[in-house]
Amino acid sequence: MAATTFTTQHPLPVDIMPTTDSVVPTAATAYKKGDLLVVAADTNVATHSATGADWHVICLADVTAEQATEKLSMGVEMPVYVAGKFDVSQVKIDGTALDATQTLTARAYANRNTKITLSVVK
């Protein structure tokens, strides 16, 4: 019998039932689960946060650039988290983990402007 090795990773949502919604993807743009996204107020189109100080929602699933274009052409939106408690170590800016400064910035923004809590989970 072969030995089995398991690795674990903290899940992004810490809540049992985070709140989700959907947004319009930007054509030819890849999204990663955990990306902090900015949503345009007039079009519901999602773009990536540049600094962690301007985001509104968290991407729920990986979407390739091709899938985003296809969703857009079909009028299908992509799922996002809009409220709940999340592990800050699992959120990203354009697919890249936050550095220490971005982590503080994103958490401060969440505390003031969203229904999302970014928690330090150990």
Side-chain angles (χ1 to χ4, degrees), residues 10-118:
H10 291 294
L12 176 63
V14 178
D15 274 349
I16 295 171
M17 301 224 6
T19 305
T20 63
D21 203 340
S22 60
V23 296
V24 177
T26 300
T29 301
Y31 300 89
K32 291 290 187 185
K33 180 179 180 177
D35 276 349
L36 299 175
L37 303 176
V38 177
V39 180
D42 57 341
T43 62
N44 200 36
V45 172
T47 57
H48 289 96
S49 172
T51 64
D54 57 351
W55 61 278
H56 304 114
V57 299
I58 299 173
C59 189
L60 191 147
D62 289 351
V63 176
T64 66
E66 295 78 21
Q67 290 169 327
T69 299
E70 182 178 6
K71 285 178 181 292
L72 190 60
S73 70
M74 294 173 27
V76 176
E77 296 186 348
M78 63 181 207
V80 293
Y81 294 111
V82 296
K85 186 174 183 178
F86 301 87
D87 182 350
V88 72
S89 72
Q90 301 300 308
V91 297
K92 304 169 181 75
I93 293 180
D94 202 2
T96 302
L98 305 181
D99 64 26
T101 300
Q102 291 168 328
T103 297
L104 291 174
T105 300
R107 290 187 71 216
Y109 187 81
N111 288 335
R112 293 186 339 264
N113 298 299
T114 72
K115 294 179 180 177
I116 293 175
T117 301
L118 296 177

